[in-house]
Amino acid sequence: MDLNALTIEAARAAVQARRTTATSLAEAFYAKIEKTDPEIGAYLTLSKDRALEQAARMDSLAAKGEELPPLGGVPIGIKDVMVTRGVRTTAGSKILGNYIPPYDCTAVARLEAAGAVVLGKLNCDEFAMGSSNENSAWRPVHNPRDLSRVPGGSSGGSAAAVAADMALAALGSDTGGSIRQPASFCGVVGLMPTYGRVSRYGLIAFASSLDRIGPLTKTVRDAAIVLRAIAGRDPMDATSAEVPVPDYVAEMEKPVRELKLGVAKEYFGEGLDSEVRKSVEAAIQRLAGSGCEIVPVSLPHTEYAIPTYYIVATAEASSNLARFDGVRYGYRARDARTLSEMYRRSRDHGFGAEVKRRIMLGTYALSAGYYDAYYLKAQRVRTLLVRDFEEAFKTVDAILTPTSPTAAFKLGEKVDDPLSMYLADIFTVTADLAGIPGISVPCGETKENLPVGLQILGKHFDEATILRVAHAYEQAA
Ligand code: GLN
């Protein structure tokens, strides 16, 4: 079976028509994982029993001639920050090294209800903190396009698994770029929905006002199919929105002629790699050729996005991560004599260096005397960033930018320089702070054959338009 040529619709149709079975499809993916993953490192845990049970369920539906659900028999991988009942979930951290959750993340449950076969849990930066996947407590992930390079982060395992045909699609999470940037580094599609579009129930929290779940896929159509399956109000997450979920595939196929697409100079300044710039500019030209109108827009507060993000995200993380104390679940240090020593040692051994750095930064930003100067200030700048987008979206339907200022960098290149690692998020964190959706779609390669991503940002709850633009670009390319 040519896993490389497979799409979600093709896989489902083949299982439905009994040209293959969901079971042999899952087995083909496991064989590919066994062969390829030792050098990539995308998977942390395989969930074979659960996958094969679900595959058998889909096969028996197909055998009875019943119509399969939209993801019937489709093998997918899940970033290890989403809890899975009975399947180890670590968030890339030693502190959850042997954590077996008693419940399922809503997005995972919805995928399975739509017929998907969950192959296993995908490697990521610890608690989704990072841009290179090198902060995983278990092992780094290598970029399938060039093993000496990072796959991006923090959903590096998700992007690498899809790029290397070790999953037909994957779920990732995006707090500051972690779906879009790895998608761009690995040459796949990555979609971050609007805040509130997909339930966060069962997503291990990093920064609750920013965290979102979304798909990484080979095609825009596949992303539309997965989003439709996971989106919509969930009573278990009070921040999930009561907004109707459109038929994204149907919406996506509408023509793009006469759509107005904004281009902001703030995303094409200093620090943007010249080859990335060239690919993205060519992509913009191609969309102009498809009849879109390209309109200059300004997002004047963009330069403050990184400091704002790293205050808001670390502040929320310091609070969210307080629950890991070695008492109820997760790693507990054995050698402590007092309760507070047990807390301290459990957290000291259980958390990695980047997570500790974030907890300290966030605790500092929230502490009495500094709260006004940092956290409150950051919240105000966040509002200015929201307004920047509101202004721009008065005149355009979507905004085009590079996803990342560079293509995939080398493993080890930035690990000792957290600031330069943080700067890699410069084009992605703005959409997280503003709550708007964004998609990264492959738009060419550098001379070294490294993929480049075009980012398309949209209005709140208007994933349909960015999918449409991305699809039109993909078709024209
Ligand atoms: N790279 C960013 C960070 O380290 C984004 C992480 C994310 O989106 N989860 O915080």
Side-chain angles (χ1 to χ4, degrees), residues 42-56:
Y43 278 91
L44 294 177
T45 307
L46 298 178
S47 47
K48 277 192 185 166
D49 293 347
R50 182 166 168 163
L52 294 174
E53 255 172 54
Q54 168 84 341

Side-chain angles (χ1 to χ4, degrees), residues 79 128-131 153-154 173-178 206 309-310 358 425:
K79 183 179 182 180
M129 297 173 185
S131 307
S154 62
S173 68
D174 199 312
T175 303
S178 285
F206 165 6
Y309 168 79
Y310 276 95
R358 305 269 178 128
D425 303 330

Side-chain angles (χ1 to χ4, degrees), residues 325-345:
D325 56 8
V327 177
R328 287 170 294 260
Y329 52 87
Y331 171 80
R332 176 184 298 174
R334 302 233 164 270
D335 44 1
R337 280 158 304 164
T338 64
L339 181 64
S340 75
E341 194 177 306
M342 192 274 281
Y343 290 155
R344 263 186 287 120
R345 290 201 184 184

Side-chain angles (χ1 to χ4, degrees), residues 25-353:
L25 205 53
E27 275 162 359
F29 274 90
Y30 280 128
K32 176 78 178 166
I33 291 166
E34 203 172 308
K35 187 161 148 256
T36 311
D37 209 34
E39 58 179 13
I40 306 272
Y43 278 91
L44 294 177
T45 307
L46 298 178
S47 47
K48 277 192 185 166
D49 293 347
R50 182 166 168 163
L52 294 174
E53 255 172 54
Q54 168 84 341
R57 224 172 285 138
M58 291 303 125
D59 287 335
S60 83
L61 279 183
K64 280 187 261 168
E66 283 180 39
E67 185 173 335
L68 293 181
L71 291 157
V74 173
I76 53 155
I78 305 290
K79 183 179 182 180
D80 208 25
V81 290
M82 283 161 247
V83 299
T84 37
R85 182 154 42 98
V87 178
R88 186 176 81 125
T89 301
T90 71
S93 182
K94 273 197 335 205
I95 211 158
L96 288 174
N98 44 28
Y99 176 53
I100 312 271
Y103 69 108
D104 273 324
C105 175
T106 296
V108 176
R110 287 189 177 176
L111 279 184
E112 276 189 333
V117 173
V118 174
L119 297 173
K121 306 300 293 290
L122 294 162
N123 205 346
C124 56
D125 285 301
E126 184 173 4
F127 288 102
M129 297 173 185
S131 307
S132 68
N133 221 114
E134 292 163 293
N135 296 335
S136 164
W138 309 113
R139 58 166 290 183
V141 179
H142 295 256
N143 191 319
R145 295 287 280 264
D146 175 346
L147 295 178
S148 71
R149 294 182 187 264
V150 304
S154 62
S155 312
S158 302
V162 174
D165 296 315
M166 296 190 286
L168 192 39
L171 288 186
S173 68
D174 199 312
T175 303
S178 285
I179 291 175
R180 292 158 290 153
Q181 184 254 23
S184 139
F185 279 15
C186 292
V188 300
V189 173
L191 170 64
M192 173 182 72
T194 309
Y195 184 81
R197 180 57 103 180
V198 176
S199 167
R200 288 182 294 113
Y201 182 67
L203 170 65
I204 295 172
F206 165 6
S208 309
S209 78
L210 302 161
D211 295 344
R212 309 192 211 158
I213 293 173
L216 293 99
T217 54
K218 288 193 284 190
T219 67
V220 175
R221 180 182 288 270
D222 282 358
I225 296 169
V226 176
L227 178 61
R228 172 124 162 126
I230 61 176
R233 169 77 187 163
D234 171 17
M236 301 304 281
D237 172 7
T239 64
S240 68
E242 193 87 64
V243 176
V245 179
D247 179 347
Y248 292 114
V249 174
E251 291 291 316
M252 178 190 87
E253 283 171 340
K254 292 186 178 160
V256 291
R257 184 159 288 285
E258 268 142 51
L259 278 184
K260 289 198 172 77
L261 305 180
V263 174
K265 60 176 180 313
E266 290 85 356
Y267 284 74
F268 290 85
E270 219 185 300
L272 176 60
D273 176 86
S274 66
E275 289 189 74
V276 172
R277 173 196 295 272
K278 225 188 272 162
S279 292
V280 172
E281 286 177 347
I284 294 171
Q285 282 321 308
R286 180 163 299 146
L287 281 163
S290 304
C292 298
E293 188 186 336
I294 307 298
V295 181
V297 292
S298 177
L299 299 163
H301 296 95
T302 303
E303 63 173 305
Y304 306 112
I306 290 277
T308 305
Y309 168 79
Y310 276 95
I311 287 171
V312 173
T314 57
E316 293 185 20
S318 71
S319 160
N320 274 326
L321 270 55
R323 75 190 66 173
F324 300 103
D325 56 8
V327 177
R328 287 170 294 260
Y329 52 87
Y331 171 80
R332 176 184 298 174
R334 302 233 164 270
D335 44 1
R337 280 158 304 164
T338 64
L339 181 64
S340 75
E341 194 177 306
M342 192 274 281
Y343 290 155
R344 263 186 287 120
R345 290 201 184 184
S346 299
R347 287 168 70 82
D348 185 26
H349 302 165
F351 288 138

